[in-house]
Amino acid sequence: MYLAEVARADAAMAALSALDDVGLGHGQPLGHMLIKMIDEYALHAGQAHMLRFAALGRMQR
């Protein structure tokens, strides 16, 4: 299912000619949505990192 969703997302992005084009369903330009997704990924990755520190009881790399 994941790979099918990735293929659908790739097709949707390929259908737009520029990052300023508005996609279907959300009304935001593609570039804006990609930046938002990168920001969300970084936020959650940071949260997971802090949870790991909490589980270990110390800061450890």
Side-chain angles (χ1 to χ4, degrees):
M1 288 184 351
Y2 170 77
L3 294 177
E5 190 63 27
V6 169
R8 282 184 37 181
D10 287 345
M13 287 189 290
L16 300 174
S17 61
L19 292 175
D20 291 337
D21 289 350
V22 175
L24 301 175
H26 51 71
Q28 296 291 328
L30 174 61
H32 172 78
M33 294 308 298
L34 292 174
I35 294 297
K36 183 176 177 181
M37 289 179 70
I38 292 168
D39 182 55
E40 286 292 321
Y41 179 83
L43 173 68
H44 292 294
Q47 289 172 346
H49 195 60
M50 295 308 292
L51 288 172
R52 185 174 67 83
F53 286 156
L56 289 171
R58 64 185 184 283
M59 300 272 292
Q60 177 183 349
R61 291 193 180 261

